[in-house]
Amino acid sequence: MPLRTSDDAINALDPRSDSGSDSGPDSRETVDAVVIGGGAAGLNGALMLARSRRSVVVIDSGAPRNAPAEGVHGLLGLEGVPPAELLRRGREEVRGYGGSVLSGEVVSAVPATPSADGDPRFTVTLADGGTLRARRLLVATGLRDVLPDVPGLARHWGRGVVHCPYCHGWEVRDEPIGVLATGPASVHHALLFRQLTDDLVYFTRGTDLDEETRARFAARGIRVVDAPVAAVESTESARSARSAGSAGSTGSRDDGGIAGVRLTDGHVVARRVLAVATSMRVRTEGLAGLNLPTQDLPGGMGHHFVTGTAGTTQVRGVWVAGNATDPTAQVGASAAAGALAGAHINADLATADTDAALALVNA
């Protein structure tokens, strides 16, 4: 099945636009931790480290997964806060405790020669040629959602096209919703979105749908469309087509939203919202040198980094938190994972500092 990334939907949305960028440490200095990723997981991990008086630098590439969304939902005390505003506050908080946030992209992160007592060291190189040296790394790069290659779909990503009933469900309640099937996960997806609307259409798009599932859908009033999907129609294009065919005709509002799903036979199934189970692929750019293992998700739905307790990895000195290891985590869960990883990194550093001090005393 051809796929495309949703990056084109967020190219113009840079959450760092009002944040500036710190100068960062001297390249000869070794900081306690470098955090790769400036989303909820990375910033909360950095916050925990900075509050523990650790020297920490966050590298923010400015491409958060939820950039197109109007608000963050399901986050107690911050319900509906715009994603860019949440990250702006997070950067301010990290800086308030002495941490640094740099705008940039990591092109290489590799282990370096350990200290004389065996404490891990890493070298992180940025796209602008700058380098950072660190004792520990927290990888919080997040993931990239990949959409089906359906013409007209990507432009509505994060608004009329949604993937998470918990992130967007309330906002699309009672709307005519269509589920564009991408694989087995879409069946469960449909049942979740049925909770939000009585008007749900499931477009199989060539995926298998057995008789038992069809019976379950029928029992819940979910209409199944087996005809192939040609494109997603927007309200502007739908209105233009009506105007060309019948001057003075009226119809759905011309607000740039979704008008429906056009089938290959030319028929348009009217819909206002489309739900898609995306393929979720961890952002690994610049991280090959760490040799972090990845694991495929069931049903070809993507892949993620493999981690243990609190984000530990098989690479000593490297932790992973957030969507990079837990693809289904919402903002609150990602932030909590970052905080936990940050606390474990600090504890690990505290042990290493004590070991080094004891070695000096006994020398």
Side-chain angles (χ1 to χ4, degrees):
M1 182 184 302
L3 297 172
R4 63 184 298 175
T5 69
S6 61
D7 288 357
D8 56 338
I10 65 174
N11 283 341
L13 301 172
D14 187 345
R16 306 166 301 168
S17 58
D18 63 348
S19 68
S21 179
D22 300 332
S23 59
D26 187 288
S27 61
R28 294 166 295 182
E29 177 186 350
T30 298
V31 297
D32 289 321
V34 165
V35 178
I36 304 175
L43 288 173
N44 219 22
L47 183 64
M48 294 294 283
L49 287 160
R51 282 179 49 81
S52 295
R53 308 189 72 175
R54 294 293 179 186
S55 54
V56 58
V57 179
V58 178
I59 310 300
D60 180 11
S61 68
R65 180 187 185 190
N66 63 354
E70 293 182 357
V72 173
H73 299 290
L75 185 60
L76 188 64
L78 290 171
E79 171 62 29
V81 63
E85 173 61 16
L86 179 65
L87 298 183
R88 185 194 65 78
R89 295 182 194 179
R91 289 188 291 266
E92 284 189 355
E93 291 169 354
V94 170
R95 288 168 172 151
Y97 289 103
S100 297
V101 182
L102 302 183
S103 297
E105 296 183 4
V106 172
V107 296
S108 174
V110 295
T113 303
S115 66
D117 58 1
D119 195 46
R121 294 290 187 269
F122 300 90
T123 300
V124 178
T125 304
L126 306 182
D128 64 5
T131 60
L132 297 166
R133 305 183 190 283
R135 300 173 64 190
R136 303 292 184 271
L137 294 182
L138 174 56
V139 174
T141 50
L143 57 81
R144 181 178 289 106
D145 290 291
V146 182
L147 301 173
D149 189 15
V150 176
L153 182 68
R155 62 173 296 193
H156 298 289
W157 174 242
R159 295 176 174 83
V161 175
V162 300
H163 74 294
C164 173
Y166 305 107
C167 304
H168 309 284
W170 176 264
E171 287 66 38
V172 301
R173 68 195 185 281
D174 298 327
E175 292 280 9
I177 298 176
V179 175
L180 295 182
T182 58
S186 296
V187 171
H188 181 60
H189 218 209
L191 297 178
L192 294 178
F193 276 95
R194 175 60 181 83
Q195 173 65 21
L196 302 165
T197 183
D198 293 331
D199 186 356
L200 187 68
V201 175
Y202 186 89
F203 299 89
T204 60
R205 297 185 62 247
T207 61
D208 292 331
L209 197 64
D210 59 42
E211 291 305 315
E212 180 182 354
T213 302
R214 289 175 184 270
R216 291 171 66 82
F217 278 6
R220 293 302 311 275
I222 299 173
R223 176 186 168 196
V224 176
V225 173
D226 291 306
V229 169
V232 173
E233 291 286 341
S234 299
T235 52
E236 311 104 305
S237 58
R239 179 167 179 170
S240 297
R242 288 193 302 271
S243 297
S246 176
S249 64
T250 59
S252 60
R253 62 177 185 255
D254 185 14
D255 61 359
I258 292 173
V261 175
R262 179 162 49 86
L263 307 178
T264 54
D265 63 7
H267 178 65
V268 175
V269 180
R271 298 290 89 186
R272 292 291 298 168
V273 177
L274 295 176
V276 182
T278 63
S279 175
M280 298 172 286
R281 301 179 182 178
V282 63
R283 295 175 183 269
T284 61
E285 295 85 355
L287 304 179
L290 296 176
N291 292 317
L292 296 173
T294 62
Q295 183 177 56
D296 290 336
L297 292 167
M301 295 307 295
H303 61 275
H304 62 98
F305 285 125
V306 177
T307 58
T309 303
T312 54
T313 71
Q314 66 180 28
V315 181
R316 186 185 174 204
V318 180
W319 278 253
V320 181
N323 284 154
T325 183
D326 184 359
T328 62
Q330 290 181 259
V331 171
S334 291
L340 184 60
H344 276 248
I345 291 171
N346 179 60
D348 187 57
L349 288 167
T351 298
D353 292 341
T354 303
D355 291 344
L358 183 60
L360 285 175
V361 169
N362 294 332

